[in-house]
Amino acid sequence: MNGQSMPDKEKVSMYFIAVILPPALNELILAFKNYMLEKYNCNVGLKSPAHITLIAPFWMREEQEPQLITDIEIVSEPARCFRMESNDFSAFQPRTIFIDVKNGPELNALKSTTDAFFKEKDYKIKIDQRPFHPHITIATRDLHKKSFYEAWDYFKVKSFRKEWIADNISLLKHNKKNWDVIHTSQFQNR
């Protein structure tokens, strides 16, 4: 996750904030995740819908959830829908294979706005200081180094170029097994 340890307080859960892809695109991406499950026993990618992470996973007291949802509404309220495009497959060698996403000005602005807003809030969110590299994960933490290169040989020659409209910010919550979308805030010009 993001290196944070779990708080000692009771009634805490893990959350993250993302742009969720449309269901039809999620289904296409699910086929790649299932390939990784069948061939390499990788299931981490299957634990969440296809998404682009805006705020990495963080621990939070569940009692703060209603305020977090309100704040997501505040962040998304001025946002406008924009076109996004995938750019085939890429990797963070030797552990992660993903679908690369073209990083346009609208997505950068959404990420910057979200970071700036939540940096000032009391959710204990650690804003990632690395450059933003939007992507859609296919396989990650449970992809062993020895299997990575074989899997990467398969994906690096595949094409995956799709366009879609980004029209939401969603809050996902970990249920101790998978990530559930618990709230989606639609952009104003949807």
Side-chain angles (χ1 to χ4, degrees), residues 132-159:
F132 182 44
H133 189 144
H135 62 278
I136 305 159
T137 301
I138 301 299
T140 187
R141 294 184 318 275
D142 59 350
L143 175 57
H144 299 290
K145 190 174 181 179
K146 64 181 181 170
S147 299
F148 171 85
Y149 295 102
E150 181 181 320
W152 180 231
D153 282 344
Y154 173 79
F155 280 103
K156 72 182 178 184
V157 296
K158 286 192 149 320
S159 177

Side-chain angles (χ1 to χ4, degrees), residues 109-176:
L110 180 63
K111 171 68 170 150
S112 295
T113 299
T114 305
D115 282 353
F117 183 86
F118 284 104
K119 185 177 186 179
E120 302 301 319
K121 296 294 179 176
D122 188 32
Y123 297 114
K124 310 256 188 287
I125 293 173
K126 182 180 175 188
I127 302 300
D128 197 342
Q129 297 303 308
R130 296 173 296 181
F132 182 44
H133 189 144
H135 62 278
I136 305 159
T137 301
I138 301 299
T140 187
R141 294 184 318 275
D142 59 350
L143 175 57
H144 299 290
K145 190 174 181 179
K146 64 181 181 170
S147 299
F148 171 85
Y149 295 102
E150 181 181 320
W152 180 231
D153 282 344
Y154 173 79
F155 280 103
K156 72 182 178 184
V157 296
K158 286 192 149 320
S159 177
F160 193 83
R161 296 201 176 197
K162 303 288 181 189
E163 289 188 3
W164 69 95
I165 300 297
D167 64 359
N168 70 73
I169 298 176
S170 293
L171 176 63
L172 292 90
K173 181 179 182 178
H174 203 265
N175 66 20
K176 298 187 173 54

Side-chain angles (χ1 to χ4, degrees), residues 1 3 6 9-10 26-27 49 54 63 69 75 78 97 102 116 128 132 135 140 143 147 152 163 178 187-189:
M1 295 293 158
M6 188 169 82
K9 298 178 182 178
E10 292 183 55
N26 184 60
E27 288 300 315
L54 296 175
E63 67 191 39
I69 288 170
V75 168
I97 295 174
K102 290 186 179 179
D128 197 342
F132 182 44
H135 62 278
T140 187
L143 175 57
S147 299
W152 180 231
E163 289 188 3
N178 297 309
F187 295 161
Q188 63 174 303
N189 65 332

Side-chain angles (χ1 to χ4, degrees), residues 37-105:
L37 175 65
E38 292 164 15
K39 184 98 172 145
Y40 302 104
N41 201 31
C42 295
N43 68 0
V44 170
L46 287 164
K47 294 183 178 199
S48 61
H51 67 275
I52 298 163
T53 302
L54 296 175
I55 300 289
F58 60 96
W59 290 97
M60 182 185 80
R61 293 187 323 271
E62 288 185 358
E63 67 191 39
Q64 292 178 284
E65 195 175 291
Q67 184 59 52
L68 179 58
I69 288 170
T70 298
D71 285 341
I72 288 171
E73 291 285 333
I74 291 168
V75 168
S76 68
E77 196 246 329
R80 300 187 63 80
C81 298
F82 56 93
R83 184 168 303 283
M84 296 194 64
E85 186 178 345
S86 64
N87 191 23
D88 299 328
F89 293 89
S90 193
F92 298 133
Q93 295 190 31
R95 294 300 291 253
T96 304
I97 295 174
F98 58 88
I99 296 169
D100 203 12
V101 174
K102 290 186 179 179
N103 193 1

